[in-house]
Each structure stands twice: as structure tokens, then as C-alpha cells.
Amino acid sequence: MKVTKHIEKANGKTLFSFEILPPLKGQNIKSIFDGIDPLMEFDPAFIDVTYHREEYEYIERQDGLLEKRVVRKRPGTVGICAAIQNKYKVDAVPHILCGGFSREDTENFLIDLDFLGIENVVALRGDAVKSEIYFKPEKNGHANASDLVKQIQGLNSGDYLDESLENSCPTTFCIGVAGYPEKHMEAASLSQDLQYLKKKVEAGADYIVTQMFFDNEKYFEFVDKCREEGINVPIIPGLKPLVTKSQLSMIPHRFKVDIPNDLVIEVAKSKDNKAVKEIGIEWCIQQSKELLERGAPVLHYYTMGKSDITKRIVEAVF
Ligand SMILES: Cc1cc2nc3c(=O)[nH]c(=O)nc-3n(C[C@H](O)[C@H](O)[C@H](O)COP(=O)(O)OP(=O)(O)OC[C@H]3O[C@@H](n4cnc5c(N)ncnc54)[C@H](O)[C@@H]3O)c2cc1C
């Protein structure tokens, strides 16, 4: 079922969902099931599976020259989605990127999803590869998520790249896109970022999932601003608990997300990561309770494979 349909059917009740990432190449699907099993009792409406594009590694050869190698460390997004739908009968939502995909790759990826009975996707641009500063689209690929959304919507209208196809079957994907309550790191201003977000919705996005945030006011203000701009699709808050002290600098650096001073002070004075984990869980529970009280459509947790932590939060909230 489509994510938007889940929300509609819930009739104002806040739903639970979560995101997982594929295991490192060489691991098996058991680690995925072990992560999902403890959360099934909370009846997730859907489970997102991230997509990880290739990375470049430079290996020094014996002659001293550097050899560029292309590696994909976490393949398996589509297979995991199919396995989730098959085993748990829960809607799996694969993420799909502009980065590393030509338009043909995108179309073929979507055809696989459609044949597998996957009805939802989250359409993202993706980040620049680690060795580059700026995002570079693939040859004949998309430069931003709104163009990717357009292609998916095109397929939903039966528009395949080969215009000579006759009687082509339209797909029926429900499309999620990313939103940034504290603005995307490359955007010049939140207003400009919102205009681009609006473009994604006008291109056919059905719902928005937010980047993590630790101050609920940022989410509520973001929702208000979206509504003022005429962005009227559901906005699902994305939540991630702090679990290590090093995240105090890593999260702002990598995601340009602010951490409220009260949380910073508590984490900074804690004696080890065991204590940080407790603080992070409690903070996330309080955030979740308020979001639920104020009618967020879904609480979406970035589990990072740590289902014990997510379980404690969800147990306390739902
Ligand atoms: C919920 C969520 C899930 C994610 N899942 C994954 C994942 O599975 N795999 C992964 O690799 N990454 C993932 N990411 C990270 C994401 O790929 C990065 O944040 C990326 O840098 C931006 O992706 P986007 O889809 O928001 O890009 P876009 O919406 O294309 O925006 C990127 C930047 O370009 C600007 N922009 C947008 N449209 C235009 C336009 N038409 N013209 C000019 N500028 C424009 C925006 O303001 C923004 O600064 C996820 C992020 C979120 C929030």
C-alpha cells in the first residue's frame, strides 16, 4: 500500500516507521532480519531501505602510481526490499538516487521495483562521492531530485524513455522526497531550499520525510513555512537518537544539524557512551511524545541497525 494511503487510513493516528541500511558487502540478510524482528510488535506502517552508491578508492600500486577502484560497500537495496515484503508483509520503501544513475538505469530500477510489487520510493539526489566536493550527475542522469521525481511521475503516466513503445503500462509509485528543517547544507537560504522543495512536490512528490532534528520547534516551524508556501503534502519527521559523544561534533559537521544546548551540556558531562545512550534515548522519547501529541502523521526512526535503541523509544511512545 502507498505511504500516503497508510496515512489516510490511520485517520489522524500517528504511525510508526523506520529506516534501515543494507549490510556491508559480505554479510548476509540475517543481520537485516535481526534488526527488524524486535520492531515488528510495534506494527510498522512501512520500512525504508537506504541506497548506497559506489565510492572511489585509490590504491597505491607497486610502481608508485595510484589506481582508482570503484567499490560499492552496501549493495542490496532492492533485494532487501523484496525480502521484507515477502517475509513481513510490510511495505518496503527503497531509496533511489540521481547519483550514479543514468535515466536508463533509473527506468530499469523502477521496472524491477514495479515487478516486485513495491509501490513506494524515496527520490533523492544523493551526496557528492567522497573524493569530490560537489555533486556531479551521471552522464544522461539527473542533477537534482525534482528531475528524478519528474521521471518517476512520467513512468506513472506510462511515459518510458523509448517513445516508440506501444501500450506501455503505467507504474503507480507513491513518491517521497527529503526535506530539511534546518536547510540543506548547500542551499544559500532556507527560503531558497523551500522553493526547491516546492518544485519537488510540484513535480509529483506525494510526501516529505525530514532530515533528523533535535529541537522540535525546527520541525514545527518548517511545517508552517511549507504550508505558507503552498506545500500541502504530509511531512514526516525523521528522528535519530544521539548515542555517542563524538556525534556532538560529527552530526553538525556532516549534516549541518544543530544540537540544542541543553542536550549538548548533558552529553558533554556524561562519563561514557553508555550514559550518552541513555540521555539520547530519553531526549528522543520526549521529542517523539510531543510530535505525537501535536499530530505528526508518522514518526520515522533512523535505526542505523540499532533496533534495541529504537525499541526502547517506541515502547515508551506508542
Ligand atoms: C530522509 C532522507 C533520506 C536519505 N536517504 C539517502 C540514501 O538512501 N542514500 C543517500 O546516498 N543519501 C540519502 N540521503 C542524503 C541525501 O542524498 C543528501 O542530503 C543530498 O545531499 C541531497 O539530496 P536531496 O534529494 O535532498 O537533493 P535535492 O532536492 O536535489 O537538493 C539538493 C540541493 O540542491 C538544491 N536544489 C534542489 N533542486 C534544485 C534545482 N532545481 N536547481 C538548483 N538547485 C536545486 C537544494 O536546495 C539543495 O541544496 C537522505 C536524506 C534524507 C533527508
Side-chain angles (χ1 to χ4, degrees):
M1 188 160 74
K2 293 180 182 208
V3 166
T4 46
K5 189 80 194 163
H6 279 287
I7 295 172
E8 201 184 303
K9 273 185 72 179
N11 206 12
K13 183 175 162 265
T14 301
L15 299 171
F16 159 59
S17 68
F18 60 94
E19 177 189 287
I20 56 170
L21 65 167
L24 286 167
K25 193 182 271 185
Q27 305 298 305
N28 65 25
I29 190 100
K30 188 174 173 300
S31 64
I32 292 292
F33 296 152
D34 288 348
I36 296 175
D37 285 342
L39 299 175
M40 283 309 293
E41 65 180 284
F42 304 104
D43 199 15
F46 54 92
I47 302 172
D48 276 40
V49 184
T50 54
Y51 190 92
H52 299 260
R53 64 173 299 184
E54 74 288 356
E55 294 171 29
Y56 302 140
E57 277 180 355
Y58 292 87
I59 314 284
E60 190 169 352
R61 293 195 324 209
Q62 277 194 334
D63 58 10
L65 292 176
L66 290 180
E67 184 181 315
K68 182 175 169 182
R69 285 204 194 143
V70 181
V71 283
R72 264 193 78 199
K73 294 186 177 163
R74 294 183 187 273
T77 301
V78 177
I80 292 170
C81 286
I84 289 174
Q85 296 211 155
N86 186 34
K87 183 172 161 73
Y88 300 101
K89 314 291 174 228
V90 171
D91 286 295
V93 185
H95 293 187
I96 176 171
L97 305 182
C98 303
F101 281 72
S102 67
R103 285 171 167 75
E104 284 75 19
D105 296 333
T106 302
E107 186 171 277
N108 293 334
F109 188 88
L110 292 166
I111 289 170
D112 276 343
L113 301 182
D114 187 42
F115 287 176
L116 285 166
I118 291 168
E119 290 181 74
N120 302 281
V121 286
V122 172
L124 300 142
R125 187 196 70 179
D127 288 320
V129 286
K130 281 200 182 107
S131 49
E132 291 169 354
I133 302 173
Y134 296 108
F135 175 81
K136 266 199 220 138
E138 198 65 14
K139 195 164 173 251
N140 192 29
H142 299 294
N144 48 61
S146 50
D147 287 343
L148 174 58
V149 173
K150 259 185 225 156
Q151 182 177 2
I152 304 170
Q153 271 306 350
L155 216 59
N156 280 350
S157 310
D159 298 335
Y160 288 70
L161 295 170
D162 179 354
E163 289 170 7
S164 67
L165 292 180
E166 282 176 17
N167 302 321
S168 54
C169 294
T171 56
T172 56
F173 290 110
C174 172
I175 308 169
V177 289
Y180 301 83
E182 298 175 61
K183 98 173 177 61
H184 182 257
M185 62 188 93
E186 294 165 29
S189 67
L190 183 58
S191 297
Q192 191 201 44
D193 208 23
L194 280 177
Q195 291 311 313
Y196 289 132
L197 179 58
K198 191 171 179 190
K199 244 180 126 173
K200 292 197 268 195
V201 174
E202 284 168 354
D206 298 292
Y207 69 99
I208 294 165
V209 189
T210 76
Q211 178 61 282
M212 72 182 98
F213 54 89
F214 296 91
D215 174 356
N216 283 352
E217 282 315 309
K218 300 258 164 82
Y219 168 80
F220 297 129
E221 283 166 18
F222 177 70
V223 174
D224 288 347
K225 284 190 179 127
C226 285
R227 302 308 181 221
E228 278 164 26
E229 289 296 336
I231 299 170
N232 290 316
V233 296
I235 302 178
I236 298 175
L239 292 160
K240 177 170 152 159
L242 265 183
V243 287
T244 63
K245 222 177 230 190
S246 61
Q247 286 175 321
L248 279 188
S249 52
M250 191 281 279
I251 289 176
H253 175 73
R254 182 135 182 250
F255 301 100
K256 303 286 178 285
V257 166
D258 233 12
I259 303 184
N261 208 32
D262 289 353
L263 181 56
V264 174
I265 290 169
E266 268 202 78
V267 170
K269 73 179 181 211
S270 53
K271 65 178 192 314
D272 53 23
N273 279 340
K274 206 166 156 242
V276 175
K277 189 167 132 182
E278 292 307 312
I279 295 165
I281 289 175
E282 189 48 39
W283 189 275
C284 194
I285 290 173
Q286 294 315 320
Q287 271 195 281
S288 303
K289 283 185 172 168
E290 188 186 22
L291 288 161
L292 191 139
E293 268 166 34
R294 291 182 58 177
V298 183
L299 300 185
H300 185 69
Y301 294 91
Y302 299 117
T303 67
M304 307 303 289
K306 298 188 175 76
S307 50
D308 55 326
I309 295 173
T310 314
K311 184 172 175 174
R312 280 191 48 199
I313 297 165
V314 178
E315 238 163 15
V317 175
F318 284 92

